[in-house]
Amino acid sequence: MVSLFFFFFFNLTGRVREKDRKVFLPLVHPPNGCYSRRCADPKPGARCLPPVSHAGAGAQALGPSFTAFLGHSRELDQKRSNRDQNPVPIWDAGAIGGGLTKHEAVIISGTEMAKQIQKEIRQDVESWVALGNRRPHLSIILVGNNPASHTYVRNKIRAASAVGICSELILKPKDVSQEELLDITDQLNMDPRVSGILVQLPLPDHVDERTICNGIAPEKDVDGFHIINIGRLCLDQHSLIPATASAVWEIIKRTGIETFGKNVLVAGRSKNVGMPIAMLLHTDGEHERPGGDATVTIAHRYTPKEQLKIHSQLADVIIVAAAVQKQAGFITPVPGGVGPMTVAMLLKNTLLAAKRVLY
């Protein structure tokens, strides 16, 4: 049985000397339940991260999530002087019963973070409509009876409604022709009321996914899979970014995880997930579309296990964007990780498409 995992893992092995002060972001609850570094009780207006859970390495995998270990960080030390003006929640490792060990994992709640982003999107949508603009509209094409695809689409439609985005579902049987799907995308491309178009993947074997993705107008391609959007992403230009990769990047930014000058290992080279994540993390932070300024290594199924072990030991961050066996997991993924964030970033793309700020 294979599951799709997305997580990031900050390596402690061989990187931190005992005499070094270890710091880490608050990705677990402290004993007093407060996310502030210096107070025993929560302060009004304190900048806190979403609730997270803490688990050991031996637990069973339950679903997709993001996971992080954090070790010594000189960059965070340098930012401590700005903590009062723009507080970054940091604790000494010893402040929580001696701190984490290298065999423990911390789980970030993508669900809570997604709720915050959806709240922001709803406010932006209502402001946009209040100015006399057309309400954003998402058209979803679903082919066949794949139960997982139907579940994903239901979640997207429900989330769109919650943020004030109109949506429609176009259902087609699994034997639909490629030509008919292209005709549908052409009609939606020309429809001025449609802001964004999404074709739920995977498609039946007789339909070429790349052809269908390229049949969507780049400015309405909220999945970010069109060749022009991928090309602009690779050139560090503004584009509609694939939602899962965008979700990874948003989680990293919102949790304050430093990527500048770090070694990052991306396990998985898919064109829809692994490659876009690698592009976002390695590119220049001062370019038109800022990146993470990390040194990125991409591993895949043909990477020798010995080399993968070496790359993992050298990495500050490991992002697994590939199918892995549950038995091989060394973390405790839980429901509510990258999935809700992916949907949230899809809705954000829909709003961007409606505003036509990129094209």
Side-chain angles (χ1 to χ4, degrees), residues 195-349:
S195 311
I197 305 168
L198 181 155
V199 178
Q200 182 65 42
L201 303 180
L203 293 172
D205 292 340
H206 69 278
V207 178
D208 182 65
E209 290 184 354
R210 174 48 51 199
T211 299
I212 299 301
C213 290
N214 287 340
I216 300 172
E219 65 273 16
K220 295 187 177 185
D221 169 37
V222 292
D223 256 339
F225 294 160
H226 191 284
I227 190 171
I228 290 179
N229 280 320
I230 293 295
R232 291 177 66 90
L233 172 68
C234 294
L235 293 173
D236 304 351
Q237 296 177 348
H238 291 304
S239 66
L240 292 171
I241 300 172
T244 300
S246 184
V248 174
W249 185 226
E250 193 70 15
I251 289 173
I252 289 174
K253 290 188 294 183
R254 290 192 179 232
T255 51
I257 293 170
E258 185 62 74
T259 59
F260 184 90
K262 300 296 184 181
N263 291 317
V264 177
L265 173 63
V266 177
R269 58 181 177 182
S270 71
K271 299 301 180 281
N272 296 341
V273 181
M275 185 274 288
I277 289 173
M279 296 306 302
L280 287 169
L281 286 169
H282 96 274
T283 48
D284 197 315
E286 297 183 359
H287 282 182
E288 177 183 317
R289 191 269 303 141
D293 283 309
T295 300
V296 178
T297 300
I298 299 178
H300 47 78
R301 59 181 174 175
Y302 296 121
T303 302
K305 291 183 178 180
E306 296 77 12
Q307 290 298 315
L308 184 59
K309 181 178 179 180
I310 293 173
H311 291 312
S312 300
Q313 291 173 340
L314 293 174
D316 300 296
V317 184
I318 300 175
I319 299 175
V320 175
V324 295
Q325 293 185 2
K326 289 185 178 181
Q327 292 85 348
F330 51 85
I331 62 165
T332 308
V334 295
V338 74
M341 282 295 293
T342 297
V343 173
M345 301 315 292
L346 173 70
L347 300 177
K348 189 172 183 178
N349 277 352

Side-chain angles (χ1 to χ4, degrees), residues 26 33-36 42-43 45-51 87 89 254:
C34 175
Y35 285 99
S36 175
K43 294 181 179 179
R47 181 181 172 203
C48 301
L49 291 177
R254 290 192 179 232

Side-chain angles (χ1 to χ4, degrees), residues 20-82:
D20 286 337
R21 185 180 64 81
K22 305 181 184 70
V23 298
F24 59 96
L25 299 175
L27 305 180
V28 296
H29 293 295
N32 59 19
C34 175
Y35 285 99
S36 175
R37 185 180 197 270
R38 293 174 293 179
C39 66
D41 299 303
K43 294 181 179 179
R47 181 181 172 203
C48 301
L49 291 177
V52 293
S53 62
H54 173 254
Q60 291 295 316
L62 299 176
S65 71
F66 277 80
T67 303
F69 280 115
L70 290 139
H72 186 65
S73 173
R74 299 186 186 278
E75 289 78 11
L76 288 176
D77 287 344
Q78 294 169 1
K79 294 179 182 177
R80 292 180 68 185
S81 61
N82 298 325

